[in-house]
Amino acid sequence: MPLNPQAKALWDQIRDPNCEACPLHESAQTVCLVGDGPVPARYMVVGEAPGYREDEVEKPFAGKSGQFLDEVLEQVGLSRKDAFISNVAKCRPPANRTPTRTELKACRPYLDAEIEAVKPELILLVGNAALNLIKKSGITKHRGEVFKYGDATVLPTVHPAAVLRNPNYDAVFRTDLATFSRMVRGEPGATPTRTFLVRNPRALTATCRSILTAPAVAYDLETTGTEEYEEDAKIVTVGISPKPGIAFVVPIHHPESRWKDPDKVLRAIGHALMFTKAKVIAHNAKFDDRWMTQFDIPIHSDFDTMIAAHLLDENRFKSLKFLAQLILGVDPWADVDLGGGGALTTALSKLARYNAKDADYTLRLYYHFREELTSTGNERTLRLFVKLLMPASKALTTIERTGMWVDQERLLTRRLELDKRLATVDERLTELTGQKANWNSPQQLAKILFSEMDMTVWELTAKGAPSTREAVLLRLSKEHEVPKLILEWRSLSKNKSTYLDNWLELLSSDSRIRTHYKLTGTVTGRLSSGKEHQKARGINVQQVPRDKFIRGIIGAPPGWKFLEADFSQIELRIAAHYSQDPTMIRLFQLDEDIHLATAVKMTRKQPHQVEPEERKKAKAVNFGFLFGMGWRKFIDYARDNYDVEVSDIEAERFRDDFFATFTKLRAWHERQRRLVRNYSKVQSLIGRVRHLPDILSQDEEVRKEAERQAINSPVQGLASDLMLLSLSILHEQMPVDEAKIVGTVHDSILVEVRDDVVDKWSKTIKHTMENLPLKRTFGVELTVPIKVDVKVGQHWGEGELYG
DNA sequence: CACCAGGGCGCG
DNA sequence: AAAGCGCGCCCTGGTG
């Protein structure tokens, strides 16, 4: 029963203890548990569904997450007793299941009745299910946006239970509650943006003058939702903020733009940005710089607020919307709804407001991050930002624009070949199983293999269905032809859909495909690659199969060669440096192959008999043990990949052997564990930090995971930073008519080199990457030699080793 | 038609 | 005692 006397009346009035509108009534102890609190109330908090405790004591938010919610409410100056607290679902779902959309729909009348009685001005929604109130889903996307529901203003945030599980959400949750509290008290957020629409020559001149005279200026583009190189690509408006709180918005190709020559206006703004002494700031500068360059304004921003945010805390969300609320304390705002037609069909006044906010907030964030980066204790981070990340971002801007050349003839013929082979496999499968099925469907396949053909179920998926993953089918292949054919089908169909079909579709008129590299896409500092945003299509060049049939479609156009420069065994070399293991260091000084040694041990072959594929698998074993793999997983690994049954004792001995060979690895692991336990973070040789708040978790498994990450991150991060440093140095050295960088895959750099200068550039690239100026740039040195393999050919993956 | 989670698998 | 790390895309099938 509700504690609040006013809610009691409500409880009697709208509650139906015999409700059978959805299946949830079957599992709930208390059916139709309505909310609790004052009626009416100024604000409501709406959660997902009653939990175990709530069901028992008949009170919403009674468990652990409820306590946490109360705590944070208190901290932001609100009190639970002023709030009416309820849930979108009124019955407790069976253990650990969120209510379905159908169930929520059935429950809606009760919630609506509550809202009508409580008459809240503000509603805080907590958790994804609660978003159902406003017919949305995707809480991490919509949190911190404001919505209306009837007369009430609605603010969604993450669920307190999510915060308790994942500390990364803590900042988000507190920010949103602080905002909510401000809204409840009717206080405005930080200074709003004063927007000036630039629509006449005098205003344009004033804007340019402000760009030229300000110490720092932020810019932000609104564009058509296309790739910048597409035919109908247009810059719609430019937002300029020369001073916090102020932004000029210049319409360019917006239909309401009144300029006679919009391109000339863009040039005027662009030239001011190019020639100003001011620091040019942007959020995700690579995007805006690329667009400007496409329209003949080659600018490279000096300061990217997104990169700064990521470098200072790799775990937080990097969107401008989030950072502005978290750091600047501005009021929440919803992304501009561009509708079907993109920025072009959005009213100029509306578009300008958003554009202005973005530019203004970017500038304000710049002043904040500049302060943070130059404060005591952040010297190494500042150096990384200035000497490594911003130059790398500049190089990537060009690399993304260049794209990778595709051999169209190979692409077309190989695609047809795949079609033919797929048809053959399909025919044979139909013959063997006696039916037509969708071979891509794990569900249909499981039915055929395990119900109809009665094969052994070796493994279950996370959800308890019989797994049809590769390792399982491989085991079944020994006795049946069908699983073997399925594996072939999967490989062929993945090659076709993920790679060849996509490449053909995304091929530009210059026979190139393009990707987007994210400098802020991973927690370790590696690049991620793929599409620009969720709705776009795009390719990931980091997962192109090594299979020559696929990889060999990418290459260099006639008159040029394709060069791949690869850091050899870079992560092991870095681990050798960190651990100072004498055996590892000696092996690298003698230039011996550690992966080959492991492959020899596992296959019991002579070194020269080891297949490249076997060496590649040994590589995974070395990395596995190096980064904390246990002997149990090793048994699975050996079975799935080598078809070798290893006993528990053998597996343990194999692992012991590894650590007996490299005696100092254990001490290094221990040091990393100690560091992360003491400081909740670790850092790489050149100062890139990985924050690991999970080390404070109550859950031992989670803590152990953080410890393994503490071992892995400084290795993976440094390897990647060496690549980024190479990228920026090489990019500055290369004249585009001789050589151009076209891509990078973690520890390798892909370059197109003109035929007649291949020798010169092979040599220069190798030398540059093997002799990076670590001492001069970061004041540190590596105690192991760095080795780079350069391969040159006409196509990717088909090159000959240089030198 | 849009969105989402899960399964599966490509890469380093 | 037990423990690899880091990513992104395609497809299916459920749901609204």
Side-chain angles (χ1 to χ4, degrees):
Chain A
M1 286 289 286
L3 302 176
N4 196 299
Q6 295 153 315
K8 244 178 214 162
L10 205 65
W11 173 274
D12 297 331
Q13 217 172 58
I14 65 176
R15 179 168 176 256
D16 177 7
N18 302 313
C19 175
E20 292 185 0
C22 82
L24 288 184
H25 71 273
E26 291 161 17
S27 54
Q29 190 180 322
T30 311
V31 171
C32 201
L33 182 68
V34 296
D36 190 11
V39 183
R42 185 155 158 70
Y43 60 101
M44 268 179 87
V45 177
V46 178
E48 300 198 347
Y52 172 71
R53 280 288 295 165
E54 289 85 340
D55 204 11
E56 203 177 52
V57 301
E58 299 182 354
K59 177 186 161 201
F61 278 103
K64 244 187 194 173
S65 58
Q67 276 173 29
F68 179 63
L69 174 69
D70 289 354
E71 264 173 51
V72 183
L73 278 174
E74 191 106 345
Q75 283 167 15
V76 298
L78 298 176
S79 166
R80 182 193 182 107
K81 48 181 209 306
D82 301 328
F84 188 89
I85 300 194
S86 189
N87 286 305
V88 276
K90 308 294 180 198
C91 292
R92 187 175 93 87
N96 296 330
R97 178 167 86 68
T98 50
T100 66
R101 276 179 282 194
T102 325
E103 288 159 359
L104 292 177
K105 200 173 173 183
C107 227
R108 175 55 77 78
Y110 299 111
L111 182 62
D112 279 337
E114 286 176 301
I115 292 175
E116 192 169 336
V118 174
K119 298 192 175 28
E121 282 172 48
L122 295 148
I123 301 176
L124 183 72
L125 299 179
V126 296
N128 191 49
L131 267 185
N132 186 269
L133 178 74
I134 46 169
K135 301 255 180 295
K136 302 270 178 194
S137 183
I139 189 63
T140 55
K141 178 172 183 286
H142 292 299
R143 63 135 286 281
E145 290 180 2
V146 277
F147 301 90
K148 289 301 268 187
Y149 186 71
D151 293 331
T153 302
V154 178
L155 182 74
T157 187
V158 294
H159 199 279
V163 181
L164 293 174
R165 269 198 307 274
N166 183 352
N168 295 338
Y169 286 119
D170 195 73
V172 179
F173 186 66
R174 288 171 195 277
T175 304
D176 291 342
L177 261 72
T179 306
F180 190 71
S181 166
R182 222 169 41 224
M183 290 161 71
V184 168
R185 295 195 309 269
E187 294 168 12
T191 332
T193 305
R194 288 167 63 198
T195 306
F196 299 93
L197 207 48
V198 178
R199 309 201 69 173
N200 59 58
R202 257 183 63 188
L204 183 62
T205 310
T207 305
C208 290
R209 194 181 309 126
S210 78
I211 293 174
L212 292 167
T213 54
V217 53
Y219 89 104
D220 177 67
L221 303 178
E222 298 296 332
T223 66
T224 46
T226 56
E227 301 281 345
E228 75 279 8
Y229 48 83
E230 285 176 40
E231 220 170 276
D232 50 354
K234 292 263 190 289
I235 291 176
V236 182
T237 59
V238 183
I240 298 282
S241 175
K243 195 175 156 190
I246 289 177
F248 301 106
V249 176
V250 189
I252 306 293
H253 284 287
H254 192 278
E256 292 173 50
S257 169
R258 289 187 300 214
W259 304 107
K260 262 182 276 161
D261 186 352
D263 293 316
K264 200 171 150 194
V265 176
L266 181 65
R267 260 196 317 277
I269 295 288
H271 286 178
L273 285 170
M274 276 170 72
F275 299 118
T276 180
K277 289 204 173 68
K279 295 275 181 212
V280 175
I281 325 294
H283 194 73
N284 189 17
K286 195 153 55 60
F287 173 86
D288 303 276
D289 290 355
R290 230 179 42 230
W291 273 80
M292 290 297 258
T293 306
Q294 179 70 27
F295 293 97
D296 300 322
I297 301 156
I299 53 177
H300 289 288
S301 300
D302 301 291
F303 195 109
D304 186 333
T305 45
M306 189 158 93
I307 293 175
H310 181 256
L311 202 53
L312 285 160
D313 180 359
E314 73 287 358
N315 291 322
R316 69 180 146 200
F317 300 100
K318 264 81 62 174
S319 75
L320 188 61
K321 197 171 77 173
F322 167 68
L323 292 170
Q325 286 175 55
L326 175 73
I327 291 170
L328 308 174
V330 303
D331 283 332
W333 77 101
D335 281 333
V336 56
D337 182 10
L338 295 176
L344 282 174
T345 52
T346 306
L348 182 58
S349 60
K350 189 174 170 190
L351 189 65
R353 272 202 306 279
Y354 288 97
N355 197 179
K357 263 194 194 1
D358 284 355
D360 175 27
Y361 294 166
T362 300
L363 187 69
R364 294 195 216 180
L365 283 174
Y366 159 70
Y367 284 111
H368 172 88
F369 285 134
R370 192 186 63 163
E371 189 70 32
E372 199 174 338
L373 281 169
T374 50
S375 66
T376 317
N378 278 340
E379 295 80 3
R380 301 225 295 171
T381 307
L382 175 65
R383 195 148 53 170
L384 280 174
F385 181 76
V386 174
K387 306 209 170 196
L388 185 73
L389 275 300
M390 287 313 299
S393 175
K394 181 179 172 186
L396 287 169
T397 304
T398 311
I399 293 167
E400 287 181 359
R401 277 177 53 73
T402 306
M404 296 176 86
W405 187 81
V406 167
D407 186 328
Q408 282 196 52
E409 206 183 303
R410 282 191 175 188
L411 175 59
L412 295 172
T413 54
R414 290 181 183 190
R415 197 159 156 271
L416 287 179
E417 200 174 319
L418 277 185
D419 283 334
K420 236 188 283 169
R421 284 161 65 190
L422 277 163
T424 316
V425 175
D426 180 44
E427 215 170 287
R428 182 74 183 130
L429 277 168
T430 309
E431 199 179 305
L432 285 171
T433 61
Q435 58 186 296
K436 288 264 177 205
N438 182 348
W439 310 117
N440 281 332
S441 162
Q443 208 175 80
Q444 294 178 30
L445 181 65
K447 188 164 160 268
I448 293 172
L449 294 185
F450 305 113
S451 301
E452 295 170 17
M453 304 183 79
D454 228 16
M455 295 187 195
T456 318
V457 176
W458 286 108
E459 256 180 61
L460 298 180
T461 66
K463 288 280 170 190
S467 170
T468 65
R469 59 186 276 251
E470 186 178 359
V472 171
L473 296 191
L474 229 40
R475 290 177 85 163
L476 296 173
S477 294
K478 284 178 207 151
E479 289 161 41
H480 303 86
E481 196 183 341
V482 173
K484 202 184 174 121
L485 282 168
I486 291 292
L487 286 175
E488 196 182 344
W489 171 272
R490 279 188 186 161
S491 166
L492 291 170
S493 97
K494 177 150 187 158
N495 280 349
K496 180 166 151 57
S497 60
T498 309
Y499 306 106
L500 302 207
D501 283 357
N502 236 347
W503 293 358
L504 189 61
E505 195 171 324
L506 296 170
L507 201 62
S508 295
S509 53
D510 55 358
S511 203
R512 286 175 183 272
I513 48 175
R514 288 172 178 82
T515 187
H516 299 279
Y517 294 99
K518 282 201 182 84
L519 275 158
T520 58
T522 76
V523 286
T524 58
R526 269 190 173 181
L527 296 180
S528 69
S529 150
K531 45 194 183 187
E532 175 103 71
H533 55 86
Q534 284 189 350
K535 287 184 181 177
R537 292 194 66 114
I539 63 154
N540 176 349
V541 302
Q542 295 174 335
Q543 62 180 161
V544 176
R546 298 184 67 102
D547 183 351
K548 285 186 181 176
F549 185 80
I550 305 294
R551 201 169 265 204
I553 292 171
I554 291 169
W560 298 70
K561 289 284 177 286
F562 193 90
L563 183 152
E564 179 173 14
D566 207 299
F567 281 114
S568 163
Q569 305 183 50
I570 188 66
E571 293 201 347
L572 283 176
R573 287 173 199 266
I574 290 169
H577 169 85
Y578 283 139
S579 66
Q580 285 295 301
D581 179 79
T583 312
M584 238 183 210
I585 292 177
R586 200 185 62 243
L587 281 174
F588 284 125
Q589 278 163 354
L590 297 174
D591 198 17
E592 290 200 15
D593 188 336
I594 294 184
H595 300 318
L596 186 67
T598 301
V600 167
K601 269 193 191 175
M602 292 202 61
T603 57
R604 306 203 173 103
K605 287 184 180 177
Q606 293 296 311
H608 65 273
Q609 292 172 316
V610 171
E611 304 285 334
E613 193 58 21
E614 289 167 334
R615 181 183 171 278
K616 191 192 155 196
K617 288 170 180 171
K619 197 168 158 182
V621 172
N622 281 342
F623 284 127
F625 286 144
L626 183 68
F627 296 129
M629 183 169 71
W631 56 267
R632 281 173 198 284
K633 183 153 181 181
F634 175 74
I635 294 175
D636 292 343
Y637 188 84
R639 183 187 356 86
D640 295 348
N641 292 284
Y642 287 88
D643 203 15
V644 172
E645 289 295 336
V646 179
S647 70
D648 289 8
I649 294 178
E650 285 173 312
E652 283 179 86
R653 193 184 307 139
F654 220 102
R655 188 168 185 275
D656 288 344
D657 275 356
F658 181 85
F659 286 102
T661 311
F662 306 115
T663 49
K664 295 194 80 175
L665 289 183
R666 282 209 159 100
W668 165 55
H669 284 186
E670 210 32 66
R671 188 172 77 227
Q672 293 308 105
R673 289 196 190 99
R674 204 180 61 235
L675 285 168
V676 69
R677 283 179 201 145
N678 287 345
Y679 303 106
S680 298
K681 62 182 179 185
V682 289
Q683 52 179 305
S684 78
L685 178 67
I686 58 174
R688 193 189 273 269
V689 178
R690 170 92 191 258
H691 301 82
L692 292 162
D694 278 356
I695 198 69
L696 302 172
S697 166
Q698 303 291 314
D699 185 337
E700 193 185 348
E701 287 301 307
V702 175
R703 287 202 305 273
K704 298 286 174 197
E705 200 179 334
E707 289 177 2
R708 292 194 298 276
Q709 289 161 335
I711 293 165
N712 175 275
S713 278
V715 177
Q716 198 183 103
L718 182 60
S720 177
D721 285 339
L722 296 183
M723 190 278 295
L724 290 180
L725 185 59
S726 309
L727 211 61
S728 48
I729 295 174
L730 289 172
H731 178 252
E732 290 300 314
Q733 287 178 351
M734 286 176 177
V736 286
D737 59 341
E738 287 193 17
K740 44 200 170 197
I741 305 175
V742 296
T744 162
V745 185
H746 304 307
D747 59 3
S748 69
I749 293 179
L750 311 173
V751 189
E752 273 174 29
V753 188
R754 209 177 64 204
D755 280 342
D756 58 316
V757 284
V758 162
D759 239 40
K760 171 179 125 186
W761 282 104
S762 300
K763 205 168 144 189
T764 307
I765 291 168
K766 186 174 163 73
H767 183 265
T768 303
M769 292 171 72
E770 288 181 346
N771 300 280
L772 292 169
L774 288 185
K775 183 80 185 163
R776 184 154 47 83
T777 319
F778 301 107
V780 296
E781 275 174 300
L782 276 172
T783 47
V784 282
I786 296 296
K787 193 183 159 219
V788 171
D789 293 329
V790 171
K791 288 185 204 123
V792 185
Q794 199 59 46
H795 295 91
W796 192 10
E798 296 178 7
E800 296 285 328
L801 201 59
Y802 168 84

